[in-house]
Amino acid sequence: MPYFMEILGASDSLKLRLDMPFCQDNYAIFLREISTRYRDRRQNIGVISQSIHEFINSKKGNYFIFFPSYAYLKEIYEFYKEKFDDEILIQDRYMNEIESQKFLQKFDYSSEKTAFVVLGGIFSEGVDLIGERLIGAMIISVGMPGVSNERNLIKTHFDQISKNGFDYSYTYPGLNKVYQAAGRVIRGEEDKGIIYLLDDRFNNYKYKTLYPKHWKNKGLTIVNDSLTFKKQTNRFWEGLIEKE
């Protein structure tokens, strides 16, 4: 909150922080500790693709897979379609509003669709796929923006006023995109689903201190291998069935 108040010029404004209103038993947050840093992305295409395949086949339903860039989305997609038979929808780089709505309409209560989409793009905020229209979202990377002159100017400004310019320019905007994407899964009291994070940085102390309250209360379940992932997903979905 201090970041948003300062970046928007509202440091003297009143502020209010509300708890998440939905039952915390209705969702799980999984973490696989894979490096998605730019220098490691190409060498981890295989393990990321395998993680996606395991995720979308853990329970029949609709899934969003969020990528840090359109270029990486395409790179994973080309590898993925050669190795697996899963049908994948991909976000077009230049979708207009009508095309976006048609894309979302493919995700209904009886469908089993998976979409590769861009983190921070048109499908990571303002999208309400209620109930079984979306039961899981995987977020690949911590969402850090690409290096640019504009970002570096912001960094320099906050460094000069004794703030951590890197965080203001890169870390906080990236995490905001992550939270927006994760928020697609639980949109109402009856929604149930899994948020799956792929990046070892999510388990760093620095990032964990920045998590929203309901993430801190829930905790992240580490699933660094296929067997652990399968056990934990089965436990989550079977636990929901027992409660019903």
Side-chain angles (χ1 to χ4, degrees):
M1 186 177 287
Y3 159 75
F4 283 109
M5 294 180 70
E6 187 153 12
I7 207 78
L8 296 172
S11 299
D12 297 329
S13 299
L14 296 174
K15 57 184 181 290
L16 176 65
R17 189 192 304 270
L18 300 175
D19 291 337
M20 181 179 178
F22 307 126
C23 177
Q24 294 204 24
D25 293 337
N26 286 356
Y27 68 96
I29 307 174
F30 292 161
L31 167 63
R32 186 158 192 178
E33 296 173 298
I34 300 171
S35 174
T36 69
R37 295 166 182 82
Y38 190 80
R39 65 178 182 271
D40 300 323
R41 287 181 183 178
R42 181 155 294 178
Q43 70 185 47
N44 285 332
I45 285 177
V47 68
I48 290 174
S49 296
Q50 182 65 39
S51 298
I52 294 170
H53 177 70
E54 292 170 356
F55 183 40
I56 68 178
N57 286 282
S58 61
K59 185 181 188 300
K60 292 182 178 181
N62 298 316
Y63 295 86
F64 273 5
I65 312 298
F66 291 94
F67 290 85
S69 69
Y70 189 77
Y72 198 52
L73 181 158
K74 291 287 287 184
E75 198 168 3
I76 293 282
Y77 175 75
E78 293 300 327
F79 181 94
Y80 193 94
K81 71 179 184 180
E82 289 185 6
K83 188 171 182 180
F84 301 109
D85 294 328
D86 305 321
E87 181 182 352
I88 303 294
L89 303 173
I90 64 170
Q91 174 185 342
D92 185 83
R93 188 190 291 266
Y94 302 109
M95 273 183 170
N96 59 36
E97 187 173 348
I98 294 174
E99 291 168 336
S100 300
Q101 289 302 316
K102 287 182 178 179
F103 188 89
L104 291 174
Q105 287 170 4
K106 296 177 182 179
F107 294 80
D108 58 38
Y109 291 97
S110 60
S111 63
E112 298 173 19
K113 303 288 187 184
T114 298
F116 284 11
V117 296
V118 178
L119 190 61
I122 55 177
F123 297 116
S124 64
E125 56 180 289
V127 172
D128 290 313
L129 294 175
I130 301 296
E132 294 187 356
R133 291 187 67 195
L134 187 70
I135 65 168
M138 175 184 283
I139 302 167
I140 301 170
S141 87
V142 292
M144 198 171 291
V147 176
S148 67
N149 289 333
E150 180 183 1
R151 288 283 159 196
N152 286 335
L153 285 171
I154 296 171
K155 177 182 182 302
T156 299
H157 167 75
F158 283 101
D159 281 339
Q160 290 175 344
I161 59 172
S162 301
K163 303 285 185 180
N164 188 322
F166 183 85
D167 285 345
Y168 273 76
S169 189
Y170 293 99
T171 305
Y172 302 154
L175 275 178
N176 187 50
K177 290 191 290 184
V178 169
Y179 299 147
Q180 287 176 327
R184 299 313 97 205
V185 179
I186 305 296
R187 306 302 298 165
E189 292 182 3
E190 304 301 320
D191 284 11
K192 302 173 181 65
I194 292 173
I195 299 162
Y196 194 0
L197 309 173
L198 259 70
D199 195 300
D200 54 17
R201 287 170 287 187
F202 282 116
N203 203 30
N204 290 350
Y205 176 78
K206 172 182 176 179
Y207 280 86
K208 290 195 287 188
T209 60
L210 298 172
Y211 290 162
K213 183 179 178 180
H214 61 280
W215 278 34
K216 291 178 181 177
N217 290 342
K218 185 72 178 178
L220 276 61
T221 301
I222 308 297
V223 287
N224 284 336
D225 60 85
S226 300
L227 181 59
T228 302
F229 175 79
K230 184 175 178 59
K231 285 181 178 179
Q232 292 295 338
T233 51
N234 287 344
R235 180 180 298 175
F236 171 71
W237 291 115
E238 289 170 1
L240 291 178
I241 292 172
E242 290 175 3
K243 290 174 184 177
E244 291 175 353

